[in-house]
Amino acid sequence: MATLSLRLSPPIPTRTFRPIVASSNGTLLGVASSRPRSTGGPVIKEIPLEEIRRPLMRTRANDQNKVKELMDSIRVIGLQVPIDVLEVDGVYYGFSGCHRYEAHQRLGLPTIRCKVRRGTKETLRHHLR
Ligand code: ADP
């Protein structure tokens, strides 16, 4: 009778892989964390331009040379530093990053990478003062 020998191989070490998050132009945004995200800190998000309210936009003129330089650079290497955005009750407000925002608009890009912080109506009032 044939003897059946069973060889038990050592357990294969398991590795966990964390997905790499990249934007549409291939720029590395970061490595997704397997830990639950903390609720308080800023998060990096691609947000459609038209979803960002810019209450001070009409009162501040952008330097068109800067915008042009940013357009040339963003076209080649993508946005390297996200713009700061405040989120209040699910609505996004942008008060800075005006040149980067206009460069995206003029390039016809649908979204812009943002660093989103949550705030209250009081934070918003403070920005509008
Ligand atoms: P903004 O009004 O958008 O803040 P600034 O001219 O004051 O315009 O600053 C431009 C910012 O854009 C700088 O902080 C720079 O580091 C950032 N930046 C992000 N992506 C790029 C890029 N691709 N080329 C040049 N600057 C970039």
Side-chain angles (χ1 to χ4, degrees):
M1 189 169 46
T3 326
L4 184 66
S5 76
L6 233 184
R7 286 183 55 197
L8 291 174
S9 47
I12 300 163
T14 53
R15 290 184 63 190
T16 52
F17 293 94
R18 292 199 286 160
I20 289 170
V21 184
S23 71
S24 51
N25 68 7
T27 310
L28 179 67
L29 299 179
V31 178
S33 170
S34 53
R35 278 176 282 141
R37 185 179 286 166
S38 76
T39 48
V43 291
I44 306 294
K45 274 189 192 175
E46 287 281 340
I47 299 178
L49 296 191
E50 70 265 14
E51 282 186 25
I52 304 169
R53 295 191 191 177
R54 303 191 67 86
L56 309 178
M57 194 65 161
R58 270 170 239 107
T59 58
R60 290 182 191 162
N62 285 337
D63 176 336
Q64 290 306 306
N65 289 329
K66 272 192 189 181
V67 173
K68 185 74 187 56
E69 280 175 18
L70 278 164
M71 285 170 69
D72 292 343
S73 177
I74 291 167
R75 195 184 283 120
V76 177
I77 61 170
L79 184 67
Q80 301 295 298
V81 182
I83 63 166
D84 289 309
V85 161
L86 179 68
E87 181 184 347
V88 178
D89 296 338
V91 180
Y92 299 116
Y93 297 89
F95 297 96
S96 58
C98 309
H99 295 86
R100 281 166 282 176
Y101 182 90
E102 187 178 338
H104 276 63
Q105 273 185 322
R106 290 181 52 190
L107 284 168
L109 296 170
T111 63
I112 185 165
R113 192 172 323 132
C114 301
K115 186 176 192 177
V116 183
R117 285 190 184 77
R118 283 252 175 94
T120 61
K121 286 205 170 72
E122 183 49 38
T123 328
L124 184 58
R125 268 194 289 275
H126 176 81
H127 275 86
L128 293 170
R129 254 181 238 146

